[in-house]
């Protein structure tokens, strides 16, 4: 799962750094029949995205039976992946491949702050418009439409967010979350499931949220997560070295 701001080729570079060869990679697309998709495709009903991903996982099991799968997902993609994992995936069902690891990056697993902003600003459209323009100017990314279905489904009090909090991770699946220290799109304290501490990294860009997939510190954290290793004591020093550069 990648954000709409990243191309398949950019994610391929990250997958290569994680040790996945070209024949080991599958991309999920919010636009049926196409590897690439636009931001507008991600603003639609996330229930449809979950169904599409469920079909892709079933097809993967048919094409590559008994091959374990790792899921790496950014932003909304991690939200969709976690919802699928808890709603559809059944480890004992032969229709699915065995899911070994799920790693999310900057995913609003406890609800997205922008959804709270939408609700708070309902009574004052001028304030909401100003805040949205400021965020878009800084991030260089278009925010979802004010009342898109996907935004509603990622509200902190949405049915899906409550579902994620109430249901356990299926047995045998290792779940890890990575958050950016100064992510103003999905703050790190919203980027993990209740009771789980995210791995914190500091991408060397102003827009840390969209830097997560290919940031060196984030890739190292992904490698540790996929290998089920703890964060090293000097993780913060490594992050500072990345920010400072050679």
């Amino acid at each position: 799962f990648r954000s709409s701001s990243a191309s398949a080729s950019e994610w391929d570079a990250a997958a290569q750094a994680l040790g996945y060869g070209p024949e080991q990679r599958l991309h999920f697309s919010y636009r049926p029949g196409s590897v690439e998709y636009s931001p507008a495709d991600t603003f639609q009903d996330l229930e449809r995205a979950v169904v599409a991903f469920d079909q892709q996982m079933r097809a993967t099991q048919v094409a590559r039976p008994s091959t374990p799968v790792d899921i790496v997902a950014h932003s909304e993609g991690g939200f969709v992946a976690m919802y699928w994992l808890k709603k559809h995936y059944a480890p004992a069902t032969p229709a699915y491949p065995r899911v070994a690891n799920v790693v999310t990056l900057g995913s609003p697993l406890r609800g997205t702050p922008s959804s709270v902003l939408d609700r708070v600003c309902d009574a004052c459209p001028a304030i909401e418009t100003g805040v949205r323009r400021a965020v878009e100017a800084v991030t260089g990314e278009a925010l979802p439409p004010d009342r898109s279905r996907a935004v509603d489904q990622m509200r902190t009090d949405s049915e899906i967010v409550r579902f994620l909090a109430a249901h356990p991770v299926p047995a045998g699946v290792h779940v890890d979350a990575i958050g950016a220290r100064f992510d103003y799109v999905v703050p790190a304290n919203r980027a993990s499931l209740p009771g789980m501490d995210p791995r914190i990294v500091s991408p060397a860009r102003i827009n840390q949220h969209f830097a997560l997939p290919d940031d060196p510190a984030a890739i190292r954290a992904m490698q540790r997560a996929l290998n089920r290793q703890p964060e090293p004591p000097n993780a913060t020093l490594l992050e500072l070295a990345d920010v400072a550069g050679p």
Side-chain angles (χ1 to χ4, degrees), residues 34-46:
S34 174
V35 174
E36 303 295 348
Y37 51 86
S38 70
D41 295 312
T42 70
F43 302 156
Q44 307 304 313
D45 188 350
L46 298 184

Side-chain angles (χ1 to χ4, degrees), residues 188-203:
N189 65 350
R190 313 299 306 173
S192 64
L193 293 170
M196 182 177 73
D197 293 327
R199 299 170 187 259
I200 307 298
V201 298
S202 295

Side-chain angles (χ1 to χ4, degrees), residues 61-130:
Q61 173 68 346
V62 172
R64 308 178 184 186
S66 303
T67 301
V69 170
D70 293 329
I71 300 172
V72 180
H74 177 240
S75 197
E76 181 185 293
F79 188 87
V80 172
M82 196 63 65
Y83 187 35
W84 171 82
L85 185 74
K86 293 192 172 193
K87 183 178 182 180
H88 290 279
Y89 177 62
T93 302
Y96 295 113
R98 181 176 70 84
V99 177
N101 299 287
V102 177
V103 180
T104 62
L105 301 106
S107 298
L109 302 181
R110 302 192 197 192
T112 174
S114 62
S115 299
V116 177
L117 173 65
D118 285 342
R119 190 168 57 184
V120 169
C121 293
D122 276 347
C124 190
I127 291 178
E128 180 174 11
T129 299

Side-chain angles (χ1 to χ4, degrees), residues 161-202:
V161 170
R162 292 197 300 269
F163 180 92
L164 292 179
H167 290 75
V169 172
V173 182
H174 176 74
V175 171
D176 225 314
I178 298 170
R181 191 176 303 280
F182 300 111
D183 187 338
Y184 35 74
V185 179
V186 180
N189 65 350
R190 313 299 306 173
S192 64
L193 293 170
M196 182 177 73
D197 293 327
R199 299 170 187 259
I200 307 298
V201 298
S202 295

Side-chain angles (χ1 to χ4, degrees), residues 110-245:
R110 302 192 197 192
T112 174
S114 62
S115 299
V116 177
L117 173 65
D118 285 342
R119 190 168 57 184
V120 169
C121 293
D122 276 347
C124 190
I127 291 178
E128 180 174 11
T129 299
V131 171
R132 290 174 63 85
R133 286 178 178 172
V135 172
E136 289 175 346
V138 172
T139 64
E141 298 285 340
L143 291 178
D146 292 353
R147 297 297 175 265
S148 75
R149 179 61 176 148
V151 167
D152 285 341
Q153 290 171 313
M154 290 187 291
R155 289 183 183 275
T156 54
D157 60 352
S158 75
E159 181 179 342
I160 296 179
V161 170
R162 292 197 300 269
F163 180 92
L164 292 179
H167 290 75
V169 172
V173 182
H174 176 74
V175 171
D176 225 314
I178 298 170
R181 191 176 303 280
F182 300 111
D183 187 338
Y184 35 74
V185 179
V186 180
N189 65 350
R190 313 299 306 173
S192 64
L193 293 170
M196 182 177 73
D197 293 327
R199 299 170 187 259
I200 307 298
V201 298
S202 295
R205 278 164 51 185
I206 293 177
N207 187 346
Q208 292 195 349
H209 181 74
F210 293 99
L212 278 168
D214 59 359
D215 175 76
I219 288 176
R220 286 198 298 268
M222 281 187 265
Q223 290 170 331
R224 290 190 290 269
L226 290 167
N227 291 321
R228 307 186 184 185
Q229 298 171 341
E231 289 296 284
N234 63 340
T236 299
L237 295 177
L238 293 173
E239 292 171 17
L240 292 174
D242 286 329
V243 173

